[in-house]
Amino acid sequence: MKEEPCKLWTRDYLRAWTCNFLIFFAFMMVTPLLPLYMKESFGADKHLIGMVLSGYTLTALLSRSIGGFLVDSLPRKTVLLVSWTGFSLFFAGYFFTTSLVLFTIIRTLHGIPFATTCVSNSTVAIDVTHPTRRAEGIGLYGLSNNLSTAIAPMVGLYIYEAWHSFDLIFTLALGAAVIGTLLSATINLRKRDIVLNHQPISLDRFFLLNGWSQGVCMACFATAYGVLATYLAIYCKEQMGNASISGNFFLIIALGLMCSRLVGSRTLRRGKIVENATFGVAFSVLGYGCFALWPCEGTCYACAVIVGLGNGHMFPAFSNMFVNLAPSNQRGTANATLLTMWDVGMGLGIVLGGYMAEHFGYEKAFLLSAIAQFSGMLFYFAIARGRYIRQRLTEF
């Protein structure tokens, strides 16, 4: 009985974990196929695709910090349910995209509930995890992302290849979001004191200033992934003649992430956060560099393996860094800052990748991806790692 409080896979943690899976299942089912959808439905070129798809990233970027403030300042269960409801409703909006302008509006606004849902759900997951299992819990929480990243793009691409039905893809994404909304309502949270002693306009209520160097690293890593994840499917179809290669890429990278997280979670439990981050950052550079230099089917799969193993160590470690740099009443802000900087990088990757692909070719866009990852690694070793070691508050 005394060991029960230290149990990791509690009923509420499992619910939060499953909800996170459903967030990214719904999201990743449609995201890799949106460039094809825009090209086939509206005749959009590569640069326009990049500009339109970056709209959701911009609204998500603006909403993350507000979501973190709301999660820390209002009842978290309320914020969670409202966010999930909005996230679901916007998937229904894709059925009414009869023009590129309408699609742009719906896709852009969808970034708001997506951002707040991610922030509130991850914060709730931390709340329902026992402090002695928190580092491990954060690492394993990301497994839900990896599973959805493996399954959802393959499902979406299979539907595209078999039935060429974007409406069916949108229907399944909507169904996953609705299930997540219902499941989130069953999570039980302990009552907590609401933060009232901070001015709403205070910058540290919206952005974890202590984590700025980790944020810069995350922006670089997200830029690298944003280019690859957004333009790989259309590159595989146009240059390799087989769009399903990108589906295999997402499957392999997700399997690598899952294996890496399972191994890394044990070392995170022993407090080896810096060691996990260092290995992951250095290893991921090899994968991006490999595909940038030799962008073909074989290196695509090799890149997926290497990046999967590297990111599986890197991302849980950085998530723990943000949490360990924040007091307990700023967990929402810490999560929001992490996700905000990810959005910054994803937006840059989508826009710059689209520009590079349009004017210089996909190979140069993938080279940009490798440069962004390498820049993040340099900044981590030069600044971020040392600042974390000096300024971390606690590690559980």
Side-chain angles (χ1 to χ4, degrees):
M1 296 295 293
K2 292 183 178 180
E3 295 181 358
E4 184 65 23
C6 295
K7 183 180 178 181
L8 174 60
W9 292 96
T10 61
R11 187 179 305 172
D12 289 318
Y13 178 82
L14 183 58
R15 288 169 178 170
W17 190 95
T18 304
C19 284
N20 192 55
F21 170 87
L22 292 169
I23 293 171
F24 287 92
F25 182 87
F27 180 73
M28 287 302 298
M29 183 178 294
V30 301
T31 297
L33 289 164
L34 288 181
L36 293 173
Y37 174 71
M38 292 179 61
K39 182 178 181 181
E40 295 179 9
S41 299
F42 308 116
D45 59 27
K46 301 182 188 70
H47 183 59
L48 183 58
I49 289 172
M51 293 299 295
V52 172
L53 294 184
S54 66
Y56 108 90
T57 308
L58 177 61
T59 55
L61 169 64
L62 297 175
S63 304
R64 296 284 195 194
S65 297
I66 297 174
F69 172 76
L70 293 175
V71 166
D72 286 337
S73 304
L74 298 174
R76 285 175 179 166
K77 185 69 171 288
T78 301
V79 177
L80 180 68
L81 293 177
V82 172
S83 299
W84 261 108
T85 301
F87 180 63
S88 301
L89 289 175
F90 270 97
F91 274 111
Y94 289 113
F95 293 104
F96 305 98
T97 54
T98 55
S99 68
L100 182 59
V101 173
L102 190 56
F103 171 82
T104 302
I105 293 172
I106 292 174
R107 180 63 179 173
T108 300
L109 293 178
H110 202 177
I112 298 174
F114 173 73
T116 56
T117 303
C118 290
V119 171
S120 57
N121 202 84
S122 59
T123 305
V124 164
I126 294 172
D127 283 347
V128 300
T129 305
H130 193 272
T132 60
R133 307 296 297 274
R134 188 162 292 147
E136 183 183 11
I138 291 173
L140 291 175
Y141 178 79
L143 275 176
S144 54
N145 297 33
N146 305 148
L147 282 170
S148 57
T149 301
I151 299 171
M154 289 190 65
V155 172
L157 286 164
Y158 175 78
I159 294 172
Y160 173 80
E161 294 286 348
W163 293 288
H164 207 80
S165 174
F166 289 105
D167 282 346
L168 180 55
I169 294 170
F170 295 149
T171 300
L172 291 177
L174 173 61
V178 171
I179 294 172
T181 304
L182 298 175
L183 184 60
S184 66
T186 67
I187 299 175
N188 298 306
L189 292 176
R190 294 188 301 270
K191 291 184 178 180
R192 65 183 185 87
D193 295 330
I194 303 300
V195 177
L196 297 175
N197 59 340
H198 291 276
Q199 296 180 0
I201 60 172
S202 177
L203 181 59
D204 69 335
R205 301 303 303 133
F206 297 91
F207 188 90
L208 185 66
L209 298 178
N210 206 25
W212 71 267
S213 59
Q214 282 69 31
V216 171
C217 292
M218 289 306 300
C220 292
F221 303 148
T223 300
Y225 187 75
V227 174
L228 206 59
T230 304
Y231 299 102
L232 184 63
I234 195 169
Y235 174 76
C236 290
K237 181 178 181 180
E238 292 185 357
Q239 303 297 323
M240 300 183 189
N242 187 359
S244 64
I245 294 174
S246 62
N248 296 333
F249 170 87
F250 286 111
L251 173 62
I252 294 171
I253 198 172
L255 292 174
L257 283 164
M258 287 186 283
C259 293
S260 187
R261 281 182 184 271
L262 289 172
V263 174
S265 65
R266 293 196 291 268
T267 55
L268 285 174
R269 190 177 181 182
R270 298 197 297 268
K272 296 183 179 296
I273 293 175
V274 174
E275 291 81 354
N276 272 264
T278 300
F279 171 83
V281 167
F283 205 63
S284 293
V285 169
L286 296 177
Y288 285 102
C290 177
F291 188 66
L293 295 176
W294 302 285
C296 64
E297 182 175 357
T299 51
C300 177
Y301 296 151
C303 168
V305 172
I306 298 171
V307 171
L309 293 174
N311 286 4
H313 276 79
M314 179 175 69
F315 288 135
F318 271 84
S319 296
N320 274 282
M321 285 182 179
F322 276 94
V323 172
N324 292 340
L325 287 169
S328 60
N329 64 352
Q330 284 191 290
R331 287 176 188 162
T333 303
N335 282 319
T337 302
L338 166 67
L339 296 171
T340 295
M341 298 311 294
W342 178 262
D343 289 336
V344 169
M346 284 291 290
L348 287 173
I350 292 171
V351 174
L352 296 178
Y355 178 83
M356 295 292 289
E358 180 71 20
H359 296 282
F360 303 102
Y362 288 108
E363 290 79 4
K364 293 298 187 293
F366 298 142
L367 179 61
L368 170 67
S369 179
I371 292 173
Q373 183 73 20
F374 184 73
S375 300
M377 182 188 71
L378 291 181
F379 193 86
Y380 168 76
F381 284 111
I383 298 175
R385 183 173 63 170
R387 288 192 78 257
Y388 171 74
I389 293 173
R390 293 190 301 270
Q391 299 183 11
R392 57 191 169 189
L393 301 179
T394 182
E395 289 185 4
F396 291 112

